[in-house]
Amino acid sequence: MTPSTSSSVPAAPQAEHSLTRSQRLDRLPFTRKHGKLLGASGIGWALDAMDVGLISFVIAALSVHWGISKGDGSLIASAGFAGMAIGASVGGLLADRIGRRSVFALTLLVYGLATGGSALAMGVGTLIVLRFVVGLGLGAELPVASTLMSEFAPARIRGRVIVWLEAFWALGWILAAVIGTFVAASGPTGWRWALAVGLVPAAYSLVVRWGMPESVRFLEQKGRHDEAETIVRSFEEAAEQSARGQTADGPSGTVGAEPAPGAASEASEATVRVAAPDAVGEIPQADTVESTGGIWSRALRRRTAGLWAVWFCINLAYYGAFIWIPTLLVERGFTLTQSFTFTLIITLAQIPGYAMAAWLIEVLGRRWTLTVFLTGSALSAIGYGLADSEATIIAAGCALSFFNLGAWGALYAIGPELYPTAVRGTGTGAAAAFGRIASMLAPFLVPVLVVAGGQTLAFVCFAIAFALAAAAAFTLPEQRGRALAQ
């Protein structure tokens, strides 16, 4: 599938073909090298989703085999979200200091080992502690991975690429649903074997550390210009090879000319002279937001406040619903296997949701796409709360899954675009950390709401949260077609 190259922002003029490394990356087509980076980041993303999804099945299984209370289930879930809140904040800060790739690999190692260790837990207390450690890794990984991918994706289709990255979340949840249905529900020890699969991310961390490039923008911020130049040229060469493969009568123009000796290592310059072949796109206009003063500076405070509001509300509604859906289905009288099967079907609806969001985000733009999908989530939540049969439960659940995960894709696309390079990891991580506070509250809130007014009240409250998120989303600036701020 070849991404489209639509843009809503006029291209900036090229001055004597003297381009920064960021501009050279922004104008490239989507190449096989971009695809490899997307795949490597996406596998880590899917493994993260698998772990988050598995815990909902584990809680449902433990309620049957250990007889744990709703309070214990809430503690197990919230411990992970508490770790995610801290991990997202610290991970974002570290990504701006030691690099996106290094933090990405570290997070996979931490939560992979802790998830594998959770399979050996002999009591609720031990499981809660290990879930907190798992959360530290999970929370840091997502904003760091989206930041890294945003800084490599061609500007014309950056939003679409990040939605594709987020679509790996659906694969992870589907895998979690399959493992939950056929492993966690297989017997008294099935949940242990399900968690043991969580060791896979620990091994995959080695692939990330040694097989992925570091962010060019980060390297330039740290004065590591030789490394940055090598990486940019590798992407340009991939574009040239792709152009040659598509041209029947010979190679296309040179994508990147050899820089003069010593040009790559000049610490004061991130610019080299390159040729301007027809095979590459125009240079998009960059976001001009100021990069001084941190994420709460005068220039960024409105963006930060709006992004935090969306993150808080979508986390409250998403985790409140999807962590408890298997358990709530059991309470409605369905067997554990039926509950997990319904959840698997509902999860499959995430895939078309991501596909639609990936298309719309470069057509309607980020803000409208996010707002539309959050509004659809609100309406679907009301429908699920009122559902009273197998057919309506599955239909409303699929609609909720479709709209909610499409909204997540748009949210992860817009977050890194709001901040300049120096605080991009910090900004996205801090927003995710604030959202995780809602994730911690959601598992405790659901039992209270169910007791007070049944599942209908719970899902009406989720609908209100989605509606508030939609309102906040509309306050964010539209970034379609713009280059990232330096």
Side-chain angles (χ1 to χ4, degrees):
M1 178 176 179
T2 301
S4 71
T5 58
S6 63
S7 172
S8 63
V9 180
Q14 300 181 23
E16 300 294 331
H17 304 316
S18 184
L19 309 177
T20 65
R21 295 189 183 96
S22 296
Q23 289 174 330
R24 289 159 63 191
L25 285 174
D26 279 337
R27 69 177 187 156
L28 292 177
F30 190 87
T31 67
R32 181 171 296 183
K33 196 168 184 68
H34 288 100
K36 289 181 178 178
L37 179 60
L38 176 62
S41 301
I43 290 173
W45 202 283
L47 292 172
D48 191 327
M50 181 189 73
D51 191 282
V52 173
L54 272 177
I55 199 60
S56 64
F57 295 95
V58 169
I59 290 172
L62 291 178
S63 68
V64 173
H65 301 303
W66 280 12
I68 65 170
S69 65
K70 282 192 177 63
D72 288 337
S74 297
L75 284 171
I76 293 170
S78 292
F81 295 130
M84 291 173 81
I86 297 172
S89 181
V90 174
L93 290 168
L94 286 176
D96 285 335
R97 285 161 176 75
I98 68 173
R100 284 72 158 123
R101 180 184 62 180
S102 297
V103 175
F104 189 12
L106 180 61
T107 61
L108 289 167
L109 180 64
V110 168
Y111 84 73
L113 292 176
T115 299
S118 299
L120 303 176
M122 301 305 294
V124 172
T126 304
L127 192 56
I128 289 172
V129 171
L130 287 170
R131 289 307 301 175
F132 175 80
V133 178
V134 168
L136 292 175
L138 292 175
E141 192 236 318
L142 297 179
V144 171
S146 61
T147 297
L148 177 64
M149 197 66 227
S150 292
E151 292 177 336
F152 275 105
R156 299 177 301 280
I157 54 165
R158 185 176 55 244
R160 186 163 294 162
V161 170
I162 301 306
V163 177
W164 288 346
L165 174 63
E166 168 66 6
F168 280 87
W169 185 269
L171 299 180
W173 262 89
I174 291 169
L175 184 58
V178 170
I179 294 172
T181 302
F182 298 104
V183 179
S186 63
T189 62
W191 66 272
R192 294 187 185 274
W193 291 107
L195 288 176
V197 178
L199 284 168
V200 173
Y204 189 67
S205 66
L206 298 176
V207 176
V208 171
R209 180 62 184 85
W210 302 112
M212 293 177 66
E214 181 54 271
S215 164
V216 170
R217 288 174 169 84
F218 169 78
L219 292 173
E220 289 182 340
Q221 286 278 324
K222 299 302 179 182
R224 294 158 61 180
H225 295 280
D226 287 336
E227 294 176 64
E229 178 64 21
T230 298
I231 293 170
V232 172
R233 288 188 62 77
S234 72
F235 276 82
E236 289 176 332
E237 289 166 2
E240 182 176 314
Q241 291 169 3
S242 177
R244 284 175 175 168
Q246 294 172 6
T247 304
D249 57 354
S252 65
T254 303
V255 174
E258 279 293 338
S265 59
E266 293 180 6
S268 62
E269 289 276 347
T271 303
V272 295
R273 291 185 179 278
V274 296
D278 295 334
V280 296
E282 294 180 316
I283 308 303
Q285 179 181 331
D287 186 3
T288 57
V289 67
E290 296 178 8
S291 59
T292 57
I295 64 174
W296 288 105
S297 65
R298 182 181 298 274
L300 294 175
R301 67 181 60 163
R302 179 182 174 89
R303 299 181 179 198
T304 298
L307 187 63
W308 282 33
V310 177
W311 266 93
F312 186 90
C313 292
I314 196 173
N315 270 275
L316 184 70
Y318 174 75
Y319 287 106
F322 283 90
I323 287 294
W324 280 106
I325 278 179
T327 302
L328 293 176
L329 287 172
V330 170
E331 287 195 350
R332 288 192 178 195
F334 298 106
T335 67
L336 195 62
T337 300
Q338 284 179 311
S339 168
F340 288 1
T341 301
F342 289 176
T343 304
L344 174 58
I345 295 170
I346 289 171
T347 302
L348 290 172
Q350 295 180 10
I351 296 176
Y354 283 126
M356 181 62 73
W359 177 67
L360 286 176
I361 202 164
E362 299 295 357
V363 176
L364 296 180
R366 284 81 162 117
R367 182 170 57 185
W368 269 108
T369 300
L370 182 55
T371 302
V372 167
F373 275 83
L374 286 169
T375 302
S377 299
L379 296 175
S380 300
I382 293 174
Y384 191 88
L386 297 174
D388 57 1
S389 67
E390 290 186 18
T392 54
I393 287 172
I394 292 175
C398 285
L400 181 59
S401 187
F402 174 93
F403 284 109
N404 196 191
L405 276 297
W408 274 110
L411 179 59
Y412 271 106
I414 198 172
E417 296 179 338
L418 299 177
Y419 298 100
T421 300
V423 294
R424 187 167 294 122
T426 301
T428 54
F434 186 69
R436 299 307 177 189
I437 296 174
S439 303
M440 286 186 283
L441 297 175
F444 292 102
L445 183 63
V446 171
V448 174
L449 292 174
V450 170
V451 170
Q455 295 188 28
T456 299
L457 176 61
F459 280 88
V460 166
C461 288
F462 298 151
I464 293 172
F466 281 130
L468 292 174
F474 210 71
T475 68
L476 299 174
E478 180 54 59
Q479 300 291 75
R480 177 165 65 105
R482 290 187 179 273
L484 295 174
Q486 283 294 101

